[in-house]
Each structure stands twice: as structure tokens, then as C-alpha cells.
Coordinates of all heavy atoms in Angstrom, one line a residue:
D258 N 19.2 -109.0 30.0 CA 18.7 -108.2 31.2 C 19.9 -108.3 32.2 O 20.1 -109.5 32.7 CB 17.4 -108.8 31.7 CG 16.9 -108.1 32.9 OD1 16.9 -106.9 32.9 OD2 16.5 -108.8 33.8
F259 N 20.5 -107.2 32.6 CA 21.6 -107.2 33.5 C 21.2 -107.3 35.0 O 22.0 -107.6 35.8 CB 22.4 -106.0 33.3 CG 23.2 -106.0 32.0 CD1 22.9 -105.1 31.1 CD2 24.2 -106.9 31.8 CE1 23.6 -105.1 29.8 CE2 24.9 -106.9 30.7 CZ 24.6 -106.0 29.7
Q260 N 19.9 -107.2 35.3 CA 19.5 -107.3 36.7 C 19.7 -108.7 37.3 O 20.0 -108.9 38.4 CB 18.0 -106.9 36.9 CG 17.7 -105.5 36.5 CD 16.3 -105.1 36.6 OE1 15.4 -105.9 36.4 NE2 16.0 -103.9 37.0
A261 N 19.6 -109.8 36.4 CA 19.9 -111.1 36.9 C 21.3 -111.5 37.0 O 21.6 -112.5 37.5 CB 19.1 -112.0 36.0
L262 N 22.2 -110.7 36.5 CA 23.6 -111.0 36.5 C 24.3 -110.3 37.7 O 24.0 -109.2 38.1 CB 24.3 -110.4 35.2 CG 23.7 -111.0 33.9 CD1 24.4 -110.3 32.7 CD2 23.9 -112.5 33.8
C263 N 25.4 -110.9 38.1 CA 26.3 -110.3 39.1 C 27.1 -109.1 38.4 O 27.2 -109.1 37.2 CB 27.2 -111.3 39.8 SG 28.6 -111.8 38.8
Y264 N 27.7 -108.3 39.2 CA 28.4 -107.1 38.7 C 29.4 -107.6 37.6 O 29.5 -107.0 36.5 CB 29.1 -106.4 39.8 CG 30.0 -105.3 39.3 CD1 29.5 -104.1 38.8 CD2 31.4 -105.5 39.2 CE1 30.3 -103.1 38.3 CE2 32.2 -104.5 38.7 CZ 31.7 -103.4 38.3 OH 32.5 -102.4 37.8
R265 N 30.3 -108.6 38.0 CA 31.3 -109.0 37.0 C 30.8 -109.5 35.7 O 31.4 -109.2 34.7 CB 32.2 -110.1 37.7 CG 33.1 -109.5 38.7 CD 34.0 -110.6 39.2 NE 34.9 -109.9 40.3 CZ 35.8 -110.6 40.9 NH1 36.0 -111.9 40.7 NH2 36.6 -109.9 41.8
E266 N 29.7 -110.3 35.8 CA 29.1 -110.8 34.5 C 28.6 -109.7 33.7 O 28.7 -109.7 32.5 CB 28.1 -111.8 34.9 CG 28.6 -113.2 35.5 CD 27.5 -114.0 36.0 OE1 26.4 -113.5 36.3 OE2 27.7 -115.2 36.0
A267 N 27.9 -108.8 34.4 CA 27.3 -107.7 33.6 C 28.3 -106.8 33.0 O 28.3 -106.4 31.8 CB 26.4 -106.8 34.5
R268 N 29.4 -106.5 33.7 CA 30.5 -105.7 33.2 C 31.2 -106.4 32.1 O 31.5 -105.8 31.0 CB 31.5 -105.5 34.4 CG 32.7 -104.6 34.0 CD 33.6 -104.4 35.2 NE 34.8 -103.7 34.8 CZ 36.0 -104.4 34.6 NH1 36.0 -105.6 34.9 NH2 37.0 -103.7 34.3
A269 N 31.4 -107.7 32.2 CA 32.1 -108.4 31.1 C 31.2 -108.4 29.8 O 31.8 -108.3 28.7 CB 32.4 -109.9 31.5
G270 N 29.9 -108.5 30.0 CA 29.1 -108.5 28.9 C 29.1 -107.1 28.2 O 29.1 -107.1 26.9
M271 N 29.0 -106.1 29.0 CA 29.1 -104.7 28.4 C 30.4 -104.5 27.7 O 30.4 -103.9 26.6 CB 28.8 -103.7 29.4 CG 27.4 -103.7 30.0 SD 26.2 -103.4 28.7 CE 26.5 -101.7 28.3
L272 N 31.5 -104.9 28.3 CA 32.8 -104.7 27.7 C 32.9 -105.5 26.4 O 33.5 -105.0 25.4 CB 33.9 -105.2 28.7 CG 35.3 -105.0 28.2 CD1 35.6 -103.5 28.0 CD2 36.3 -105.5 29.3
R273 N 32.4 -106.7 26.4 CA 32.5 -107.5 25.1 C 31.7 -106.8 24.0 O 32.1 -106.7 22.9 CB 31.9 -108.9 25.4 CG 31.8 -109.7 24.1 CD 31.2 -111.2 24.3 NE 30.9 -111.8 23.1 CZ 31.9 -112.3 22.4 NH1 33.1 -112.3 22.7 NH2 31.6 -113.0 21.2
K274 N 30.5 -106.3 24.4 CA 29.6 -105.6 23.4 C 30.3 -104.4 22.9 O 30.3 -104.2 21.6 CB 28.3 -105.3 24.0 CG 27.3 -104.7 23.1 CD 26.0 -104.5 23.8 CE 25.0 -103.9 22.9 NZ 23.7 -103.7 23.5
F275 N 30.9 -103.6 23.8 CA 31.7 -102.4 23.3 C 32.8 -102.9 22.4 O 33.0 -102.3 21.3 CB 32.2 -101.6 24.5 CG 33.2 -100.6 24.1 CD1 32.7 -99.3 23.5 CD2 34.6 -100.7 24.2 CE1 33.6 -98.4 23.1 CE2 35.5 -99.8 23.7 CZ 35.0 -98.6 23.2
N276 N 33.6 -103.8 22.9 CA 34.9 -104.1 22.1 C 34.5 -104.7 20.7 O 35.1 -104.2 19.7 CB 35.6 -105.2 22.9 CG 36.5 -104.5 24.0 OD1 36.8 -103.4 23.9 ND2 36.8 -105.4 24.9
V277 N 33.5 -105.5 20.6 CA 33.1 -106.1 19.3 C 32.6 -104.9 18.4 O 33.1 -104.9 17.3 CB 32.1 -107.2 19.5 CG1 31.5 -107.5 18.2 CG2 32.7 -108.4 20.2
G278 N 31.8 -104.1 18.9 CA 31.2 -103.0 18.1 C 32.4 -102.1 17.7 O 32.4 -101.6 16.5
Y279 N 33.3 -101.7 18.6 CA 34.3 -100.7 18.3 C 35.3 -101.4 17.2 O 35.6 -100.7 16.2 CB 35.1 -100.4 19.5 CG 36.2 -99.4 19.3 CD1 35.8 -98.0 19.3 CD2 37.5 -99.7 19.0 CE1 36.8 -97.1 19.0 CE2 38.4 -98.8 18.8 CZ 38.1 -97.5 18.8 OH 39.0 -96.5 18.5
I280 N 35.7 -102.6 17.5 CA 36.6 -103.2 16.6 C 36.0 -103.4 15.2 O 36.7 -103.0 14.1 CB 37.1 -104.6 17.1 CG1 38.0 -104.4 18.4 CG2 37.9 -105.4 16.0 CD1 38.1 -105.7 19.2
R281 N 34.8 -103.8 15.1 CA 34.1 -104.0 13.8 C 34.1 -102.6 13.1 O 34.3 -102.5 11.9 CB 32.7 -104.5 14.0 CG 32.8 -106.0 14.4 CD 31.4 -106.6 14.6 NE 30.7 -106.7 13.4 CZ 30.8 -107.5 12.4 NH1 31.6 -108.5 12.6 NH2 30.0 -107.5 11.4
Q282 N 33.8 -101.5 13.9 CA 33.6 -100.2 13.2 C 35.0 -99.7 12.7 O 35.1 -99.1 11.6 CB 33.0 -99.2 14.2 CG 32.8 -97.8 13.6 CD 31.8 -97.9 12.4 OE1 30.7 -98.4 12.5 NE2 32.2 -97.4 11.2
V283 N 36.0 -99.8 13.5 CA 37.4 -99.4 13.1 C 37.9 -100.2 11.9 O 38.5 -99.6 11.0 CB 38.4 -99.3 14.3 CG1 38.9 -100.7 14.7 CG2 39.5 -98.4 14.0
L284 N 37.6 -101.4 11.9 CA 38.0 -102.3 10.7 C 37.1 -101.9 9.5 O 37.7 -101.8 8.4 CB 37.7 -103.7 11.0 CG 38.8 -104.4 11.8 CD1 38.4 -105.8 12.3 CD2 40.1 -104.5 11.1
R285 N 35.9 -101.5 9.6 CA 35.1 -101.1 8.5 C 35.6 -99.8 8.0 O 35.8 -99.6 6.7 CB 33.6 -100.9 9.0 CG 32.6 -100.7 7.9 CD 31.2 -100.7 8.4 NE 30.8 -102.0 9.1 CZ 30.6 -102.2 10.4 NH1 30.6 -101.1 11.2 NH2 30.2 -103.3 10.8
D286 N 35.9 -98.8 8.9 CA 36.5 -97.6 8.5 C 37.8 -97.7 7.8 O 38.2 -96.9 6.9 CB 36.7 -96.7 9.7 CG 35.4 -96.2 10.3 OD1 34.3 -96.4 9.6 OD2 35.4 -95.7 11.4
A287 N 38.6 -98.8 8.1 CA 39.9 -99.0 7.5 C 39.9 -99.9 6.3 O 40.9 -100.3 5.8 CB 40.9 -99.5 8.6
G288 N 38.6 -100.3 5.9 CA 38.5 -101.2 4.7 C 39.1 -102.5 5.0 O 39.6 -103.2 4.1
G289 N 39.2 -103.0 6.3 CA 39.8 -104.4 6.6 C 41.2 -104.4 6.8 O 41.8 -105.4 7.0
N290 N 41.9 -103.1 6.7 CA 43.3 -103.1 6.8 C 43.7 -103.0 8.3 O 43.3 -102.0 9.0 CB 43.9 -101.8 6.1 CG 45.3 -101.7 6.2 OD1 45.9 -101.9 7.2 ND2 46.0 -101.2 5.1
V291 N 44.2 -104.1 8.9 CA 44.4 -104.2 10.3 C 45.4 -103.2 10.9 O 45.2 -102.6 11.9 CB 44.8 -105.7 10.7 CG1 45.2 -105.8 12.2 CG2 43.8 -106.6 10.3
T292 N 46.5 -103.0 10.0 CA 47.5 -101.9 10.5 C 46.9 -100.6 10.6 O 47.1 -99.9 11.5 CB 48.6 -102.0 9.5 OG1 49.2 -103.3 9.4 CG2 49.8 -100.9 9.8
L293 N 46.1 -100.2 9.6 CA 45.4 -98.9 9.6 C 44.4 -98.8 10.7 O 44.3 -97.8 11.4 CB 44.8 -98.6 8.2 CG 44.1 -97.3 8.1 CD1 45.0 -96.1 8.3 CD2 43.6 -97.2 6.7
A294 N 43.7 -99.9 10.9 CA 42.6 -99.9 11.9 C 43.3 -99.7 13.3 O 42.8 -99.0 14.2 CB 41.8 -101.2 11.9
A295 N 44.4 -100.5 13.5 CA 45.1 -100.3 14.8 C 45.6 -98.9 15.0 O 45.5 -98.4 16.1 CB 46.3 -101.3 14.8
K296 N 46.1 -98.3 13.9 CA 46.6 -96.9 14.1 C 45.5 -96.0 14.4 O 45.6 -95.1 15.3 CB 47.2 -96.5 12.7 CG 48.0 -95.3 12.8 CD 48.7 -95.0 11.5 CE 49.7 -93.9 11.5 NZ 50.5 -93.7 10.3
K297 N 44.3 -96.1 13.7 CA 43.1 -95.3 14.0 C 42.7 -95.5 15.5 O 42.2 -94.5 16.1 CB 42.0 -95.6 13.1 CG 42.2 -95.2 11.7 CD 41.1 -95.6 10.7 CE 41.2 -95.0 9.4 NZ 40.2 -94.0 9.0
A298 N 42.8 -96.7 16.0 CA 42.3 -97.0 17.4 C 43.3 -96.6 18.4 O 43.0 -96.7 19.6 CB 42.0 -98.5 17.5
G299 N 44.6 -96.3 18.0 CA 45.6 -96.0 19.0 C 46.1 -97.2 19.6 O 46.6 -97.2 20.8
L300 N 46.1 -98.3 18.9 CA 46.6 -99.7 19.5 C 47.8 -100.2 18.6 O 48.0 -99.8 17.5 CB 45.5 -100.7 19.4 CG 44.2 -100.5 20.2 CD1 43.2 -101.5 19.8 CD2 44.6 -100.6 21.7
E301 N 48.6 -101.0 19.3 CA 49.5 -101.8 18.5 C 48.9 -102.8 17.7 O 47.8 -103.3 18.0 CB 50.6 -102.5 19.4 CG 51.4 -101.5 20.4 CD 52.4 -100.8 19.5 OE1 52.9 -101.3 18.5 OE2 52.7 -99.6 19.9
R302 N 49.4 -103.1 16.5 CA 48.7 -104.0 15.6 C 48.5 -105.3 16.3 O 47.5 -105.9 16.1 CB 49.6 -104.2 14.3 CG 49.0 -105.1 13.3 CD 50.0 -105.1 12.0 NE 49.2 -105.6 10.9 CZ 49.1 -106.9 10.6 NH1 49.5 -107.8 11.4 NH2 48.4 -107.3 9.5
Q303 N 49.5 -105.8 17.0 CA 49.4 -107.1 17.7 C 48.3 -107.0 18.8 O 47.6 -108.1 18.9 CB 50.7 -107.4 18.4 CG 51.8 -107.7 17.5 CD 52.5 -106.4 17.0 OE1 52.1 -105.4 17.4 NE2 53.7 -106.6 16.3
S304 N 48.1 -106.0 19.4 CA 47.0 -105.8 20.4 C 45.6 -105.9 19.7 O 44.7 -106.6 20.2 CB 47.1 -104.5 21.1 OG 48.3 -104.4 21.9
L305 N 45.5 -105.3 18.6 CA 44.2 -105.4 17.9 C 44.0 -106.8 17.4 O 42.9 -107.3 17.5 CB 44.2 -104.4 16.7 CG 42.9 -104.4 15.9 CD1 41.7 -104.1 16.7 CD2 43.0 -103.4 14.7
Q306 N 45.0 -107.4 16.8 CA 44.9 -108.8 16.4 C 44.5 -109.7 17.6 O 43.7 -110.7 17.3 CB 46.2 -109.3 15.8 CG 46.5 -108.7 14.4 CD 47.8 -109.1 13.9 OE1 48.8 -109.1 14.5 NE2 47.7 -109.5 12.6
H307 N 45.1 -109.5 18.7 CA 44.7 -110.3 19.9 C 43.2 -110.2 20.2 O 42.5 -111.2 20.4 CB 45.6 -109.9 21.1 CG 45.1 -110.5 22.4 ND1 45.4 -111.8 22.8 CD2 44.4 -110.0 23.4 CE1 44.8 -112.1 23.9 NE2 44.2 -111.0 24.3
L308 N 42.7 -108.9 20.2 CA 41.3 -108.7 20.5 C 40.4 -109.3 19.4 O 39.4 -109.9 19.6 CB 41.1 -107.2 20.5 CG 41.6 -106.5 21.8 CD1 41.5 -105.0 21.7 CD2 40.9 -107.0 23.1
M309 N 40.9 -109.2 18.1 CA 40.2 -109.8 17.0 C 40.0 -111.3 17.2 O 38.9 -111.9 17.0 CB 40.8 -109.5 15.7 CG 40.7 -108.0 15.3 SD 41.7 -107.6 13.9 CE 41.0 -108.6 12.6
R310 N 41.1 -112.0 17.6 CA 41.1 -113.4 17.8 C 40.1 -113.7 19.0 O 39.3 -114.6 18.9 CB 42.5 -114.0 18.1 CG 43.3 -114.2 16.9 CD 44.6 -115.0 17.2 NE 45.4 -114.3 18.1 CZ 46.3 -113.3 17.8 NH1 46.5 -113.0 16.5 NH2 47.1 -112.8 18.8
K311 N 40.3 -112.9 20.1 CA 39.4 -113.2 21.2 C 38.0 -113.1 21.0 O 37.2 -114.0 21.5 CB 39.8 -112.1 22.3 CG 39.0 -112.2 23.6 CD 39.5 -111.2 24.6 CE 38.7 -111.3 25.9 NZ 39.2 -110.3 26.9
Y312 N 37.6 -112.2 20.1 CA 36.1 -112.1 19.8 C 35.7 -112.7 18.5 O 34.6 -112.5 18.0 CB 35.8 -110.6 19.9 CG 36.0 -110.0 21.2 CD1 37.0 -109.0 21.4 CD2 35.2 -110.4 22.3 CE1 37.2 -108.5 22.7 CE2 35.4 -109.9 23.5 CZ 36.3 -108.9 23.7 OH 36.5 -108.3 25.0
G313 N 36.6 -113.4 17.8 CA 36.3 -114.1 16.6 C 36.0 -113.2 15.4 O 35.1 -113.5 14.7
I314 N 36.7 -112.1 15.3 CA 36.5 -111.1 14.3 C 37.6 -111.3 13.2 O 38.7 -111.3 13.5 CB 36.6 -109.7 14.8 CG1 35.5 -109.5 15.8 CG2 36.4 -108.6 13.7 CD1 35.5 -108.1 16.6
C315 N 37.1 -111.4 11.9 CA 38.0 -111.6 10.8 C 38.1 -110.3 10.0 O 37.0 -109.8 9.6 CB 37.6 -112.8 10.0 SG 38.6 -113.2 8.6
A316 N 39.3 -109.8 9.7 CA 39.4 -108.6 8.9 C 38.9 -108.8 7.4 O 38.4 -107.8 6.8 CB 40.9 -108.1 8.8
R317 N 38.9 -110.0 6.9 CA 38.5 -110.2 5.6 C 37.1 -109.8 5.3 O 36.8 -109.3 4.2 CB 38.6 -111.7 5.3 CG 39.5 -112.1 4.1 CD 39.6 -113.5 3.9 NE 40.5 -114.1 4.9 CZ 40.1 -115.2 5.7 NH1 38.9 -115.7 5.5 NH2 40.9 -115.7 6.6
E318 N 36.2 -109.9 6.3 CA 34.8 -109.5 6.1 C 34.6 -108.0 5.9 O 33.6 -107.5 5.5 CB 33.9 -110.0 7.1 CG 34.2 -109.4 8.5 CD 33.3 -110.2 9.6 OE1 32.2 -109.7 9.8 OE2 33.8 -111.1 10.2
F319 N 35.7 -107.2 6.2 CA 35.6 -105.8 6.1 C 36.4 -105.2 4.9 O 36.4 -104.0 4.7 CB 36.1 -105.1 7.3 CG 35.3 -105.5 8.5 CD1 35.8 -106.6 9.3 CD2 34.1 -105.0 8.9 CE1 35.0 -106.9 10.4 CE2 33.3 -105.4 10.0 CZ 33.8 -106.4 10.8
R320 N 37.0 -106.1 4.1 CA 37.8 -105.6 3.0 C 36.9 -104.9 1.9 O 35.9 -105.5 1.6 CB 38.6 -106.7 2.4 CG 39.6 -107.4 3.3 CD 41.0 -107.1 3.0 NE 41.8 -107.4 4.2 CZ 42.3 -108.6 4.5 NH1 42.0 -109.6 3.8 NH2 43.1 -108.7 5.6
G321 N 37.2 -103.7 1.6 CA 36.4 -103.0 0.7 C 35.1 -102.4 1.3 O 34.3 -101.9 0.5
A322 N 35.0 -102.4 2.6 CA 33.7 -102.0 3.2 C 33.6 -100.5 3.2 O 32.5 -100.0 3.1 CB 33.7 -102.4 4.7
N323 N 34.7 -99.8 3.1 CA 34.5 -98.2 3.1 C 34.6 -97.6 1.6 O 34.7 -96.5 1.5 CB 35.6 -97.6 4.0 CG 37.0 -97.8 3.5 OD1 37.2 -98.6 2.6 ND2 38.0 -97.2 4.1
K324 N 34.5 -98.5 0.6 CA 34.5 -98.0 -0.7 C 33.1 -97.8 -1.2 O 32.2 -98.6 -0.9 CB 35.2 -99.0 -1.7 CG 36.7 -99.1 -1.3 CD 37.4 -100.1 -2.2 CE 38.9 -100.3 -1.8 NZ 39.5 -101.3 -2.5
P325 N 32.9 -96.8 -2.1 CA 31.5 -96.6 -2.6 C 31.0 -97.7 -3.4 O 31.6 -98.5 -4.0 CB 31.6 -95.3 -3.4 CG 33.1 -95.0 -3.5 CD 33.8 -95.9 -2.6

């Protein structure tokens, strides 16, 4: 519930939620390939890796995710 949070806390929470969801989806779409995921996201590979570390996201869990 964002009503109990100050603006900065609410904004940080929403940004985290967006970033985690977006990064997880782009990695899923890229089958866990960080280079391809970064390209699809329009980011440098190092920038995506930084965000992955920040949010505790591991590419390994998405390997093979986009295969039937």
C-alpha cells in the first residue's frame, strides 16, 4: 500500500518492481543470453549485468526458457 509511504519510497518500490519484471522478461525472451537480452533492451551488456546484480537476478534460471 503506497499511501503509507513517502514519495521517494513509493517511487523506489515501483521502479524496482518494473526493473525486476522487465529484466526477467527480456532474459526469458533471450533464453538467458545476457548479450542478446541487453541488445533487445537497448542497453550495454555491462549495464544489464549491473541491474541483474542489483536485483539478484541470475541469467541461469532463464536458460532454455523460450524453447518449446
Side-chain angles (χ1 to χ4, degrees):
D258 182 49
F259 289 114
Q260 291 176 332
L262 301 175
C263 74
Y264 172 79
R265 284 186 180 180
E266 291 170 336
R268 182 175 171 261
M271 291 299 292
L272 184 58
R273 176 181 173 74
K274 186 175 181 177
F275 169 80
N276 281 337
V277 168
Y279 184 84
I280 292 166
R281 291 178 64 81
Q282 185 60 54
V283 77
L284 281 167
R285 192 175 296 112
D286 291 347
N290 181 318
V291 177
T292 301
L293 181 57
K296 192 174 191 176
K297 288 177 176 249
L300 296 170
E301 295 291 327
R302 186 177 196 275
Q303 294 85 355
S304 298
L305 180 59
Q306 287 178 313
H307 170 77
L308 289 169
M309 289 168 62
R310 281 191 301 274
K311 179 177 180 176
Y312 297 114
I314 299 170
C315 180
R317 236 176 289 127
E318 65 186 274
F319 300 97
R320 301 253 161 83
N323 65 350
K324 294 179 184 174

